[in-house]
Amino acid sequence: MTDQERKLSFKKEEKILCFHGPLLYEAKVLKAEWWEEGIDPETGEELEEGAHYFVHYKGWKQTWDEWVPESRTLKHNAENLAKQVELKQVYKIKKGGRNKEAISTTRKRSRETSSEKAKQADEAYWKPPDIKIIIPSLLKERLITDWEWVVKQQRLVPLPRSPNVTEILEEYRKFSNARNGNRESADILNEILLGIKLYFNKALGTILLYRFEREQFVDISNEFPHKEAADIYGAEHLLRLFVQMPMLLSHANMEQDGISIMREHLSSFLKYLQKDKQYFLDEYQTPSAEYLARVQKSD
């Protein structure tokens, strides 16, 4: 990719609007860089190729400064400022939970006190819950290998996979229940596994696929129009979900006890996934020349 193609839409010190959750906030660009697609070997997180900006949100503490992809940014102009106001008006906080109470209290105070207090409450609302999912080292290696096969070698996971995500989750449910034998624990586990499946079905087509796999996703969706992603894809793509899980859960309406339980179950599942090597492919398939041509055309 040439330097001209690696275009940065914003420059250092420029004022922009940035999505944080479903809302837009005014921010300033502190750094602007182009990132290559890949996997961070230290964190196991997927690195999205493209322009990224290290931003500071106006009126927020420096602890909220963060790197964001260009997809989360908008120009600071009249049209987008109007969009910012519209989002604030239409967005409704979900019922229940401490975060809703914090925002409700803030809205009352914002009418009575300074805007600074409202901003502080916004920070309290958007502060992500402390969900740190540690991916075992062998699974991190899997993530890196997965990236190399798809992005560097242009290979694909053959679909549909067997066992698929639904089957893997069911096998883990049986394994865990046989080990614990506690009805209350079984009910909690069922809810968590259902949540994993729902997250996977929602996230697969939007944030779990590499660019090279998108034509395959279109093909398999057309071939099995009534099947969920969890019934088609397997462990390779399920593992990618856990890299994104802290972000997906960051605005979930959860109490601290629920967060601890969730973290414990997700960690146990990853350990199980690491031990059972039969779930992962030893090698991906080489796509046809026709598929390669379609990918090049879509780029």
Side-chain angles (χ1 to χ4, degrees):
M1 183 175 290
T2 65
D3 291 339
Q4 186 176 3
E5 290 174 317
R6 295 182 176 185
K7 182 180 178 182
L8 299 173
S9 298
F10 306 107
K11 59 182 182 296
K12 186 178 179 181
E13 301 299 323
E14 185 171 352
K15 186 163 62 174
I16 63 173
L17 292 174
C18 185
F19 279 100
H20 199 293
L23 301 181
L24 281 166
Y25 294 88
E26 187 173 319
K28 182 173 71 173
V29 176
L30 302 181
K31 299 177 185 177
E33 294 180 3
W34 183 277
W35 290 7
E36 299 293 342
E37 187 177 39
I39 297 291
D40 189 324
E42 295 185 1
T43 65
E45 295 182 356
E46 182 180 345
L47 301 178
E48 178 183 340
E49 182 180 8
H52 284 72
Y53 305 95
F54 191 65
V55 302
H56 172 73
Y57 296 99
K58 182 180 178 181
W60 292 31
K61 296 178 181 178
Q62 288 184 345
T63 53
W64 285 95
D65 295 356
E66 63 174 342
W67 283 102
V68 298
E70 192 164 287
S71 58
R72 280 178 55 188
T73 63
L74 292 174
K75 287 186 177 296
H76 191 282
N77 56 30
E79 180 183 355
N80 292 328
L81 287 170
K83 184 175 183 179
Q84 179 189 35
V85 173
E86 181 183 355
L87 286 173
K88 287 183 178 180
Q89 290 174 343
V90 301
Y91 184 70
K92 296 180 180 179
I93 305 301
K94 292 181 179 180
K95 293 182 179 180
R98 293 176 297 176
N99 288 338
K100 180 194 173 185
E101 295 172 3
I103 287 297
S104 296
T105 301
T106 298
R107 286 177 175 172
K108 293 179 182 178
R109 288 180 178 175
S110 66
R111 292 192 295 266
E112 301 168 357
T113 61
S114 67
S115 60
E116 182 60 31
K117 290 186 177 180
K119 291 171 185 174
Q120 291 174 359
D122 273 346
E123 288 186 13
Y125 173 70
W126 288 116
K127 184 178 181 180
D130 184 19
I131 301 178
K132 295 181 181 179
I133 301 172
I134 298 176
I135 299 178
S137 57
L138 290 179
L139 292 184
K140 284 186 179 181
E141 293 176 9
R142 283 275 179 187
L143 285 166
I144 295 171
T145 301
D146 173 59
W147 173 77
E148 289 177 344
W149 273 339
V150 177
V151 178
K152 294 297 184 183
Q153 299 183 30
Q154 295 195 322
R155 297 187 181 186
L156 296 170
V157 174
L159 300 175
R161 283 285 285 119
S162 180
N164 57 43
V165 170
T166 299
E167 292 167 340
I168 293 171
L169 295 176
E170 177 61 19
E171 289 179 13
Y172 175 72
R173 184 185 68 80
K174 293 178 179 178
F175 164 80
S176 184
N177 286 341
R179 185 179 57 178
N180 295 327
N182 183 294
R183 181 50 188 260
E184 183 178 356
S185 297
D187 290 341
I188 294 174
L189 177 63
N190 288 341
E191 290 295 320
I192 289 175
L193 295 181
L194 176 61
I196 292 174
K197 184 175 179 179
L198 289 173
Y199 272 119
F200 183 82
N201 286 330
K202 293 288 186 181
L204 189 278
T206 55
I207 61 175
L208 299 187
L209 296 176
Y210 291 113
R211 185 182 297 108
F212 187 72
E213 298 173 305
R214 295 200 174 277
E215 290 296 320
Q216 183 191 37
F217 174 70
V218 172
D219 291 343
I220 203 70
S221 298
N222 290 333
E223 185 177 353
F224 300 99
H226 302 299
K227 282 193 173 184
E228 296 179 320
D231 297 327
I232 299 174
Y233 288 79
E236 297 78 20
H237 291 83
L238 177 60
L239 181 56
R240 297 181 198 174
L241 175 68
F242 284 84
V243 177
Q244 303 292 342
M245 192 66 84
M247 181 272 291
L248 294 173
L249 294 174
S250 63
H251 300 304
N253 214 2
M254 298 177 67
E255 298 291 337
Q256 189 61 45
D257 289 345
I259 291 172
S260 299
I261 293 172
M262 172 70 79
R263 182 171 54 235
E264 180 181 346
H265 278 279
L266 295 181
S267 296
S268 296
F269 177 75
L270 284 171
K271 291 177 182 178
Y272 168 83
L273 201 62
Q274 177 179 236
K275 291 179 180 179
D276 206 324
K277 297 181 180 179
Q278 67 169 338
Y279 289 140
F280 293 94
L281 291 170
D282 292 328
E283 192 171 358
Y284 294 3
Q285 68 181 11
T286 301
S288 65
E290 183 269 339
Y291 183 89
L292 292 172
R294 285 167 53 199
V295 171
Q296 291 176 356
K297 186 178 180 180
S298 64
D299 286 344

